[in-house]
Amino acid sequence: MDLIHEIKEKAKQHSMRIVLPEGGEERTLKAADIILEENLARLFLIGNPADIQQKAKGFGLKNIDKATIIDPVSHVNKARYVQLMLDLRKSKGLTQEEAERLIEDPLYLGVLMIKAGDADGEVAGAMNATGDVLRPAFQYVKTMPGISIVSGAFIMILKDKEFGEDGLMVFADCAVHPDPTDRELAEIAVATGKTTRAIAGFEPRIAMLSFSTKGSAKHAMVDKVVSATKIAREMDPSLKIDGELQADAAIIEAIGRSKAPGSEIAGKANVLVFPSLETGNIAYKLVQRLAHAEAIGPVLQGMAAPINDLSRGCSVSDIVNLVAITANQAAGMKG
Ligand code: ACO
């Protein structure tokens, strides 16, 4: 059974409530139809009800009636959510007028539904930029206890099964936090370990990547990765983690043995934690394009509830897959 099939089968068992704030968008609507047909999640579609119904009819979709459509302008919980916004951000200068305007923005409404306990997770980004999807989530849903930053992991499905876990690897942070400190990098490693167990379904062997292996180069950037490795081990002693390692020492057995003798990770890593967003984002895109790998994600990690961001170039099946992943994350968080 392939990974996506397994993720979908698990999602069916949980029946989580997922919000799609871009409810009137064509790919989102077509994905919703498949999600509802396959019972992967219960759905809230945010958008104008008449517009959604007319489009669903036009596309020949048969299952959209099973979703709950939320009109951002006139839904019943509007006043309750405005009050919740004020409770949470009046001290940051949010005014009643601003809150009343923002709650009509589907990206704010979606996260407020989650914060109020009316939904379990969200998938957006088919027509909105990453920052616009993440900012409301950061402001209202915030991070989980013990984690101060959100980051984004990709599950990489490689053609070459000799790498990682039978061809599966997890890369992070490839999507969110531009320049992490040592402590933040440690948090990214710990969060990625959890994502690997929960979503990719294997035990992580984490390499903290650098341009140096075990002191081969001296630089403040190397020191940051060494320190992050130490902090991550303290934060979660159950994790198998080593650094600093160069990419070749992390994934090629013979090079790992010669550059980092005695390391239980070198040459066997199935999770790569990059020292910055620049390196992580560039690396995942190169592996995706040059090695023809499938990149599933970004799976956002560290948020108090699962909110995931699509690429604006996403396909219908990307949306279906990310909703299934989000449903699994939500179920995992509910314990
Ligand atoms: N984790 C958790 N909270 C965060 C994070 C983070 N990584 N970054 C910012 N925040 C919080 C702040 O603490 C702040 O909270 P507050 O208002 O309660 O005090 C709030 O978010 C807004 O903070 P700003 O500093 O104003 O954040 P800003 O909106 O400028 O930027 C953003 C945040 C949008 C995520 C920014 O870091 C960003 O653009 N990152 C890059 C995203 C990106 O473009 N990725 C590449 C494309 S994705 C892809 O290729 C797959």
Side-chain angles (χ1 to χ4, degrees):
M1 198 157 48
D2 73 17
L3 180 66
I4 285 296
H5 187 73
E6 272 177 46
I7 288 171
K8 285 184 174 172
E9 286 306 306
K10 276 199 248 164
K12 282 182 195 171
Q13 294 162 18
H14 302 307
S15 194
M16 290 287 123
R17 299 163 303 169
I18 306 297
V19 191
L20 302 177
E22 297 157 330
E25 195 274 332
E26 179 172 348
R27 289 159 299 169
T28 303
L29 212 42
K30 288 179 176 168
D33 192 61
I34 297 169
I35 292 159
L36 293 164
E37 184 171 24
E38 296 183 9
N39 287 315
L40 300 179
R42 288 176 280 162
L43 291 183
F44 292 107
L45 298 176
I46 301 181
N48 177 284
D51 176 57
I52 289 179
Q53 270 142 9
Q54 191 193 1
K55 282 181 177 155
K57 202 169 160 212
F59 300 142
L61 307 180
K62 302 269 184 278
N63 297 283
I64 297 300
D65 288 348
K66 294 186 216 161
T68 305
I69 299 175
I70 309 275
D71 185 338
V73 182
S74 64
H75 60 96
V76 287
N77 290 316
K78 199 167 173 180
R80 181 161 72 95
Y81 294 156
V82 165
Q83 189 54 51
L84 183 55
M85 291 175 91
L86 289 169
D87 291 348
L88 294 167
R89 291 192 72 86
K90 210 173 182 173
S91 60
K92 295 254 176 191
L94 182 76
T95 64
Q96 174 90 25
E97 295 69 46
E98 255 179 294
E100 283 172 2
R101 179 177 55 78
L102 286 174
I103 201 61
E104 294 188 7
D105 175 338
L107 295 173
Y108 277 86
L109 176 54
V111 300
L112 264 298
M113 289 175 68
I114 295 171
K115 188 67 189 173
D118 297 335
D120 303 309
E122 173 186 291
V123 173
M127 55 187 236
N128 284 286
T130 299
D132 295 332
V133 174
L134 295 188
R135 211 167 289 110
F138 288 171
Q139 290 173 349
Y140 289 96
V141 172
K142 299 227 166 251
T143 51
M144 57 172 61
I147 295 282
S148 66
I149 58 143
V150 170
S151 54
F154 275 91
I155 300 169
M156 305 298 295
I157 306 179
L158 305 166
K159 296 232 177 294
D160 196 335
K161 304 271 180 248
E162 98 182 56
F163 293 113
E165 196 72 15
D166 201 20
L168 290 183
M169 296 194 84
V170 180
F171 288 10
D173 171 20
C174 305
V176 183
H177 199 61
D179 191 12
T181 63
D182 56 352
R183 182 160 188 95
E184 290 170 345
L185 194 55
E187 286 185 15
I188 291 170
V190 171
T192 309
K194 290 198 172 108
T195 299
T196 303
R197 285 179 181 139
I199 308 295
F202 57 81
E203 190 52 27
R205 295 186 297 276
I206 304 175
M208 302 292 280
L209 295 186
S210 176
F211 57 84
S212 166
T213 299
K214 300 288 176 184
S216 65
K218 306 266 178 260
H219 194 279
M221 287 174 170
V222 177
D223 297 342
K224 179 177 92 168
V225 177
V226 173
S227 171
T229 307
K230 187 167 169 280
I231 299 169
R233 285 190 180 124
E234 286 161 9
M235 286 175 75
D236 186 349
S238 80
L239 279 181
K240 289 199 174 81
I241 181 164
D242 202 9
E244 86 298 6
L245 294 169
Q246 286 162 286
D248 56 355
I251 61 171
I252 309 284
E253 288 251 31
I255 299 177
R257 267 197 306 275
S258 84
K259 287 190 176 183
S263 167
E264 61 174 346
I265 303 297
K268 303 186 219 31
N270 54 21
V271 175
L272 303 182
V273 172
F274 295 88
S276 66
L277 177 55
E278 255 180 341
T279 51
N281 187 269
I282 292 168
Y284 107 78
K285 286 184 191 288
L286 287 181
V287 173
Q288 183 185 29
R289 299 293 167 182
L290 298 180
H292 304 286
E294 195 181 336
I296 300 176
V299 179
L300 294 187
Q301 43 188 25
M303 202 105 66
I307 291 170
N308 282 311
D309 172 45
L310 294 156
S311 153
R312 276 172 289 174
C314 67
S315 64
V316 170
S317 71
D318 290 336
I319 303 176
V320 174
N321 294 346
L322 202 54
V323 166
I325 288 173
T326 307
N328 280 301
Q329 282 180 296
M333 285 181 189
K334 283 172 180 280

